[in-house]
Amino acid sequence: DAGVIQSPRHEVTEMGQEVTLRCKPISGHNSLFWYRQTMMRGLELLIYFNNNVPIDDSGMPEDRFSAKMPNASFSTLKIQPSEPRDSAVYFCASSLPYRLNPGELFFGEGSRLTVL
Amino acid sequence: AQSVTQLDSQVPVFEEAPVELRCNYSSSVSVYLFWYVQYPNQGLQLLLKYLSGSTLVKGINGFEAEFNKSQTSFHLRKPSVHISDTAEYFCAVNGQGGKLIFGQGTELSVKP
């Protein structure tokens, strides 16, 4: 069984450029989460979806960030325009319905973003 | 609101020694608690979880944790660590709507 698949694994870009991170959750999982990890702030939840619908985007830093989940097998996190302070590792995670397996998230290997 | 505090940012320990990683939580609702591990350049994976029942929870790789409601703690322990346990460990508590709220992480460094 494939786990959560993220792409790209590494991205180096220049300030002002658009960045798109992609995630394929585990088949059958109905919740999807985007986290950001930095040394200063640790793991931050940016947004999560249930059944492709955004439930809580209160962690999205500002309007430069947007996330979509057009179907159950694909999600994107877009940053436009990117800034150096967006440099971080971005993780996607998916899970079964909460009532079936509370709190067990399956994480991808992350996308390391460097904005110069 | 729910929150988690991991009391140690770094824990160095020698191989085969016991280790305890400390976690305290704050929650106004029924608590589910979790420990996740992150090996270098990888995503997080679940070590163990407390949902209800026995307060002593056993997880993978010989780790265990004890839920203490009176002290609002969920410390992680292992009686004898290996070099391969070197990783970052995150304590987490359930938030609203199925999301997890993570602590800042504890870096466990096992030395030979």
Side-chain angles (χ1 to χ4, degrees), chain B residues 10-40:
Chain B
Q10 293 181 321
V11 173
V13 65
F14 287 107
E15 194 174 18
E16 297 183 8
V19 71
E20 178 179 82
L21 307 183
R22 297 181 294 167
C23 172
N24 285 94
Y25 68 91
S26 171
S27 178
S28 56
V29 297
S30 296
V31 159
Y32 296 160
L33 291 159
F34 309 85
W35 276 99
Y36 278 76
V37 60
Q38 184 181 28
Y39 298 105

Side-chain angles (χ1 to χ4, degrees), chain A residues 5-12 19-23 34 77 90 109-113:
Chain A
I5 299 172
Q6 292 187 246
S7 64
R9 290 295 313 279
H10 302 274
E11 173 97 4
V12 180
V19 173
T20 299
L21 307 179
R22 298 173 177 81
C23 175
W34 282 101
L77 178 68
Y90 290 82
E109 292 191 314
S111 295
R112 182 176 294 276
L113 173 64

